[in-house]
Amino acid sequence: MAMKQGTDDLAALEEAFGLPQKFIDGLINEDDWSLIIKSHALLESACSGMLCHYFGKYELIDIFAHLDMSNKKYGKIAFISALKLLSKAERRFISELSELRNMLVHNASNVTFSLENYFSNATKEKQERYHSALNLRLKKISTKTEVIEGVNLLIKEPKSVIWSSLTQCLSSIYIQDIFSIKRNELISDALKKIKSARPIEIKKEDIPLTVGSKSFASLTRDGIKPAP
């Protein structure tokens, strides 16, 4: 089954994230296990790159890459949430996808995992929760015999739901990357102009004596006080 998404949009995402042509479009035709594992790996890599673009420090890529994806206190999602790089709904999708991935990845027997069976056998309450977390934008799917919508989308077309939400997250990450790269270029150009005009000097009055309720000196590594 092939989901409809602008070919140019997918090609741009694949080029931006260093993927082979048709890779994203082809995910919808993978088995359920492969869809979850590959989608999560793709999002992990994209999120690490997004954080590097944001800070303009590409030497941090290995550090971000080794951070847990969905830990809300010190994982990649914690940075993304604090910096508001993705919406709350997109972050929730990533966290739910991480839970699915973690459930599948450590046992080889899960290669035959079925999303349809998993969601069909869940309680109604859990079905609603999964649908709310995993479906970011798919409203309905029309076939020759029926129109599928609401929570039934997740039960009958779970791969389509996850694929659609995946492409939304990747598009949002791509937009953030473009914005960060442009912002970093503007900052770099501005600093070059300032440095070419005169050396950058830090005067005593430029150094804060306090930060909040603590003295500036107590916040430095060696407790060094500003020079007089």
Side-chain angles (χ1 to χ4, degrees):
M1 175 180 183
M3 288 292 292
K4 289 185 177 179
Q5 173 92 11
T7 303
D8 291 342
D9 295 340
L10 292 180
L13 291 176
E14 286 162 351
E15 181 178 0
F17 297 124
L19 301 171
Q21 290 184 354
K22 307 295 185 181
F23 179 86
I24 296 175
D25 198 34
L27 285 174
I28 194 70
N29 297 315
E30 296 274 4
D31 60 80
D32 293 0
W33 185 89
S34 297
L35 172 67
I36 297 299
I37 301 302
K38 290 183 179 181
S39 295
H40 187 270
L42 177 51
L43 279 173
E44 272 214 285
S45 176
C47 286
S48 295
M50 177 173 62
L51 291 171
C52 286
H53 287 309
Y54 179 85
F55 291 109
K57 297 291 184 181
Y58 300 101
E59 59 270 30
L60 296 175
I61 187 64
D62 285 343
I63 296 174
F64 284 130
H66 283 87
L67 285 180
D68 182 78
M69 179 65 163
S70 56
N71 189 294
K72 295 179 180 179
K73 289 188 176 182
Y74 49 79
K76 282 189 271 286
I77 207 71
F79 280 90
I80 293 168
S81 178
L83 299 169
K84 295 180 171 61
L85 295 177
L86 295 176
S87 70
K88 185 176 181 180
E90 289 165 339
R91 300 195 306 268
R92 187 182 178 194
F93 167 76
I94 291 173
S95 294
E96 196 67 49
L97 188 68
S98 289
E99 288 191 22
L100 280 173
R101 178 262 181 193
N102 292 339
M103 180 181 70
L104 298 178
V105 75
H106 299 298
N107 190 334
S109 65
N110 285 327
V111 294
T112 58
F113 174 80
S114 168
L115 285 166
E116 286 188 30
N117 289 342
Y118 181 73
F119 293 129
S120 295
N121 293 326
T123 64
K124 195 169 186 63
E125 182 181 352
K126 285 186 176 181
Q127 287 175 348
E128 293 287 351
R129 181 178 69 82
Y130 288 138
H131 180 255
S132 177
L134 292 170
N135 192 356
L136 295 180
R137 63 180 178 183
L138 196 60
K139 301 301 182 184
K140 64 180 180 180
I141 293 177
S142 299
T143 69
K144 293 180 179 180
T145 58
E146 64 178 329
V147 175
I148 307 170
E149 53 190 347
V151 72
N152 284 328
L153 281 167
L154 187 69
I155 296 170
K156 295 184 177 182
E157 294 287 347
K159 289 167 68 175
S160 299
V161 168
I162 291 171
W163 186 90
S164 177
S165 297
L166 169 69
T167 57
Q168 176 172 320
C169 285
L170 291 175
S171 296
S172 295
I173 292 170
Y174 179 45
I175 291 169
Q176 287 291 349
D177 287 350
I178 293 172
F179 178 81
S180 293
I181 290 169
K182 186 61 179 178
R183 182 200 60 203
N184 293 338
E185 288 176 351
L186 291 172
I187 292 173
S188 178
D189 290 344
L191 286 174
K192 286 179 182 177
K193 290 178 181 178
I194 293 172
K195 290 179 180 179
S196 65
R198 64 181 186 278
I200 298 176
E201 297 179 355
I202 300 177
K203 300 178 181 178
K204 179 181 178 182
E205 53 267 29
D206 294 328
I207 302 175
L209 297 178
T210 60
V211 178
S213 61
K214 296 184 178 181
S215 68
F216 180 77
S218 70
L219 295 174
T220 61
R221 184 179 59 188
D222 301 317
I224 299 173
K225 295 180 179 180

